[in-house]
């Protein structure tokens, strides 16, 4: 009987060890040097409003799709959705030995809101010991008007006077929410020493280099920024007391980049009102 128990324990340990070694790669975002020969054929984030309400709520569809031009060792997409300046939901998906990813969420919401989504698409490519990556960002913006004074409607860019009025109102509401973090940083840093932008604005640097940087340097900065955002924001925000809090309810991250490109800061206000400042040293200086 003792021998049987010993064999059982050995078998159990062996199974556990095999499971540990055979477990697939953990979902993560790690930046590696860009492979200029690899590109994304598709990288899209789309927000749309369903025409019919569900009881008293409306439904927003949020779809994230991407396709690499070849099979990658690891394909990963993450996406964040903000409403009136605060994070309301995230999406994340990864696949080994793949090139295509698609994600979709349907969210019930109410009240007029400015929705802003931004996604980071990455492929990790292995060639022996040489590891490279390919990356792209995508995003979308959607104004949804849900008011007893107007029919349910949505638009990306206002065209009518009514839409312009609503857009102006929602933009001001959003700016009021995110201003607290910006005002706190004004007390700490010399504003003129930093470039500043909000996370959804980062998408424009898919196609153009950042101020005073080459295209390659911009890609390095963007890749390292997303690696840091994934670990220290997307997965949870570390507060001053050491606890980890969900990013849901936090404000749109403010990015401050020192003009000599030695470092950057990411600033957000958590759902319970604490200002959190993340610092990242850049891999190059100008």
């Amino acid at each position: 009987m003792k021998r049987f128990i010993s064999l059982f324990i050995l078998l159990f340990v062996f199974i556990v060890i095999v499971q540990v070694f055979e477990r697939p790669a953990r979902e993560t975002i790690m930046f590696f040097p860009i492979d200029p020969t690899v590109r994304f054929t598709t990288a899209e984030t789309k927000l749309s409003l369903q025409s019919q309400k569900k009881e008293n709520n409306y439904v927003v569809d949020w779809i994230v799709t991407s396709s690499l031009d070849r099979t990658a060792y690891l394909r990963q997409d993450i996406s964040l959705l903000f409403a009136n300046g605060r994070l309301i939901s995230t999406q994340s998906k990864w696949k080994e030995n793949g090139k295509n990813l698609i994600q979709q969420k349907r969210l019930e919401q109410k009240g007029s809101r400015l929705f802003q989504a931004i996604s980071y698409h990455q492929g990790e490519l292995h060639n022996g010991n040489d590891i490279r990556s390919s990356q792209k960002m995508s995003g979308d913006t959607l104004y949804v008007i849900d008011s007893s004074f107007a029919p349910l409607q949505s638009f990306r860019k206002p065209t009518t006077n009514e839409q312009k009025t609503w857009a102006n109102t929602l933009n001001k509401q959003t700016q009021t929410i995110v201003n607290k973090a910006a005002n706190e940083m004004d007390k700490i840093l010399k504003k003129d020493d930093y470039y500043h932008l909000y996370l959804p604005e980062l998408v424009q640097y898919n196609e153009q280099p950042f101020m005073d940087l080459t295209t390659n340097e911009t890609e390095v900065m963007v890749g390292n920024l997303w690696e840091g955002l994934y670990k220290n924001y997307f997965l949870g925000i570390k507060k001053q007391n050491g606890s980890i809090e969900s990013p849901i309810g936090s404000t749109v991250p403010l990015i401050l980049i020192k003009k000599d490109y030695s470092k950057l800061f990411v600033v957000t206000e958590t759902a319970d009102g604490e200002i959190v400042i993340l610092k990242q040293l850049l891999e190059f200086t100008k």
Side-chain angles (χ1 to χ4, degrees):
M1 182 67 178
K2 289 182 178 179
R3 184 180 178 186
F4 174 77
I5 293 173
S6 297
L7 286 171
F8 176 78
I9 293 172
L10 284 172
L11 179 61
F12 176 76
V13 171
F14 176 74
I15 291 172
V16 170
I17 291 173
V18 169
Q19 287 177 338
V20 168
F21 280 101
E22 290 186 351
R23 186 178 299 160
R26 181 174 62 88
E27 177 187 4
T28 187
I29 295 290
M30 292 185 67
F31 176 74
F32 296 98
I34 296 293
D35 186 335
T37 68
V38 182
R39 68 183 184 89
F40 277 90
T41 56
T42 303
E44 184 179 27
T45 300
K46 186 175 181 181
L47 300 171
S48 59
L49 173 68
Q50 292 191 9
S51 58
Q52 298 297 319
K53 277 194 170 185
K54 189 176 181 180
E55 297 180 352
N56 293 323
N57 297 334
Y58 58 83
V59 177
V60 172
D61 283 325
W62 171 27
I63 301 175
V64 181
T65 57
S66 65
S67 181
L68 203 62
D69 65 359
R70 68 200 66 189
T71 299
Y73 174 82
L74 191 63
R75 273 293 343 275
Q76 305 158 94
D77 281 357
I78 63 172
S79 189
L80 303 101
L81 179 60
F82 301 91
N84 289 359
R86 291 193 180 274
L87 185 68
I88 61 169
S89 189
T90 63
Q91 293 196 73
S92 176
K93 193 170 186 177
W94 65 289
K95 181 192 293 185
E96 290 183 293
N97 299 316
K99 61 180 182 178
N100 305 316
L101 288 177
I102 182 167
Q103 301 177 77
Q104 181 175 10
K105 270 191 179 182
R106 288 182 172 176
L107 296 95
E108 290 188 31
Q109 300 286 298
K110 61 181 178 181
S112 299
R113 290 187 146 194
L114 165 58
F115 294 96
Q116 295 170 290
I118 183 170
S119 305
Y120 178 69
H121 315 275
Q122 192 201 48
E124 184 179 314
L125 303 114
H126 291 210
N127 183 12
N129 293 325
D130 183 34
I131 303 177
R132 301 276 172 172
S133 62
S134 183
Q135 65 184 21
K136 194 157 189 180
M137 295 178 288
S138 65
D140 199 11
T141 298
L142 190 70
Y143 294 87
V144 174
I145 310 307
D146 179 27
S147 168
S148 56
F149 302 104
L152 180 67
Q153 60 178 301
S154 66
F155 54 88
R156 285 176 175 77
K157 292 184 179 180
T159 54
T160 67
N161 288 334
E162 180 188 31
Q163 289 179 348
K164 289 176 182 177
T165 299
W166 277 110
N168 186 51
T169 298
L170 292 174
N171 288 340
K172 285 182 178 179
Q173 289 178 4
T174 299
Q175 198 61 46
T176 299
I177 294 294
V178 301
N179 269 352
K180 183 178 177 182
N183 292 338
E184 287 298 316
M185 292 307 293
D186 285 345
K187 301 174 185 177
I188 301 171
L189 304 174
K190 290 183 178 179
K191 194 172 184 180
D192 292 342
D193 291 344
Y194 290 82
Y195 299 117
H196 64 279
L197 71 161
Y198 289 97
L199 184 60
E201 299 175 279
L202 198 62
V203 174
Q204 64 187 296
Y205 296 103
N206 267 331
E207 309 298 337
Q208 62 180 348
F210 209 81
M211 285 77 81
D212 303 322
L213 292 185
T214 65
T215 299
N216 183 66
E217 288 168 337
T218 299
E219 290 175 335
V220 170
M221 184 178 71
V222 167
N224 281 302
L225 173 58
W226 275 104
E227 180 177 333
L229 281 168
Y230 182 75
K231 293 175 181 176
N232 300 298
Y233 181 77
F234 190 93
L235 294 180
I237 302 170
K238 187 174 183 179
K239 301 178 68 178
Q240 291 182 4
N241 62 10
S243 64
I244 304 297
E245 179 175 317
S246 166
I248 300 299
S250 64
T251 58
V252 175
L254 169 66
I255 303 168
L256 296 163
I257 304 167
K258 198 147 194 273
K259 289 183 178 178
D260 67 1
Y261 291 101
S262 60
K263 59 188 173 183
L264 63 78
F265 295 95
V266 177
V267 191
T268 186
E269 178 190 346
T270 61
D272 63 0
E274 181 176 317
I275 300 294
V276 175
I277 303 170
L278 307 173
K279 179 182 178 181
Q280 186 177 82
L281 298 177
L282 299 178
E283 293 189 347
F284 56 85
T285 57
K286 284 297 282 185

